[in-house]
Amino acid sequence: MTHAETLKAFLLAVCISAPAVGQGVVTPEKAASAFRLPAGFQIRLVASEPALSNPMTMALDEEGRIFVSLAHSYRYGAEGSPVQPPSNPVVRLELGPGGKLLRHSVVASGFANPIMGIAVRGRKIWLTNLDRLLVADLDEGGRAGELRAVVRDAESPWNPFGMYRAAFGPDGLLYLSVGDHPTRLTGPTNTVAVRGNTGAVFRMEPDGSRIQILLQGMRAPFSFDFTPFGDLWVLSNGEGNPNRLIHAIP
């Protein structure tokens, strides 16, 4: 297992079992001590406020570097954001000895809506931003160059129901989940629409071409991942549409 795969497994294990820490403000150190982990797993604090403010999503590159989106305006709105002015940036975390945060740098910023999905491969980064899938080249310092929209949605939903996660599958294609609304995605080569008002999972070439619908009929498929065997699992939030953990079989 590579360093990146090990770190991903570690971080995913942490995300699976959230700590029950009760009410009130809890220090990061106390929160970390409250996690219940399976045998053989360990947890340690990597980064916390003020380096991270309302983190939304995370991705790793092939070298195990961590990219995180900070949702300054999510649930607060621009005027109520605890960070003024809100820029909803994406940052890259650099870890020092012992796996603690050494420094963080801004990759991209200035978004009116938070970045909900991040995918990194080679020297490129893909970001989902409400109704756009953006891509940019990364320089040596990890800073994104010009952001280009490779896929656009004809609809502009309320932020939590736009484009969610973006991630590469074992087939080398880019996978994208979108919350329930009348999604109509257009890329360089085709346009694809869902039936009615539904959440869906799509896949496409990295440049946004050849968009396909894989599954639909969910409310909010905000997360998905692949097993080592290439199976796709999708997690969808309910509220009127059942909470679901879906094993998507092509």
Side-chain angles (χ1 to χ4, degrees), residues 159-238:
N159 185 64
F161 294 97
M163 296 183 184
Y164 289 136
R165 186 169 191 231
F168 281 95
D171 51 10
L173 298 178
L174 187 64
Y175 286 67
L176 170 69
S177 61
V178 182
D180 65 338
H181 68 280
T183 306
R184 185 179 178 84
L185 301 185
T186 297
T189 60
N190 66 324
T191 296
V192 176
V194 300
R195 58 173 188 267
N197 192 64
T198 175
V201 177
F202 302 83
R203 70 178 173 185
M204 65 198 74
E205 298 290 341
D207 64 358
S209 62
R210 297 177 54 214
I211 305 171
Q212 299 172 288
I213 298 179
L214 288 186
L215 64 156
Q216 54 187 310
M218 303 153 288
R219 175 179 178 268
F222 59 86
S223 183
F224 63 85
D225 215 331
F226 301 89
T227 70
F229 306 102
D231 293 346
L232 173 64
W233 287 84
V234 183
L235 190 64
S236 180
N237 174 262

Side-chain angles (χ1 to χ4, degrees), residues 68-228:
V68 183
S69 68
L70 306 184
H72 291 167
S73 60
Y74 182 68
R75 298 291 185 183
Y76 301 111
E79 294 183 358
S81 170
V83 177
Q84 290 294 337
S87 61
N88 295 309
V90 175
V91 299
R92 192 178 78 171
L93 308 183
E94 297 181 47
L95 306 185
K100 293 284 289 184
L101 180 66
L102 182 63
R103 66 178 64 89
H104 69 284
S105 56
V106 174
V107 175
S109 64
F111 302 101
N113 296 285
I115 298 298
M116 304 292 279
I118 305 172
V120 186
R121 174 163 287 192
R123 287 292 182 84
K124 290 183 180 295
I125 187 168
W126 288 258
L127 306 172
T128 65
N129 190 230
L130 187 59
D131 56 359
R132 302 174 298 163
L133 174 63
L134 306 169
V135 64
D137 296 322
L138 295 173
D139 63 21
E140 290 285 349
R143 177 82 184 181
E146 178 186 1
L147 287 161
R148 310 178 301 278
V150 292
V151 174
R152 291 183 179 273
D153 188 350
E155 299 289 329
S156 295
W158 183 50
N159 185 64
F161 294 97
M163 296 183 184
Y164 289 136
R165 186 169 191 231
F168 281 95
D171 51 10
L173 298 178
L174 187 64
Y175 286 67
L176 170 69
S177 61
V178 182
D180 65 338
H181 68 280
T183 306
R184 185 179 178 84
L185 301 185
T186 297
T189 60
N190 66 324
T191 296
V192 176
V194 300
R195 58 173 188 267
N197 192 64
T198 175
V201 177
F202 302 83
R203 70 178 173 185
M204 65 198 74
E205 298 290 341
D207 64 358
S209 62
R210 297 177 54 214
I211 305 171
Q212 299 172 288
I213 298 179
L214 288 186
L215 64 156
Q216 54 187 310
M218 303 153 288
R219 175 179 178 268
F222 59 86
S223 183
F224 63 85
D225 215 331
F226 301 89
T227 70

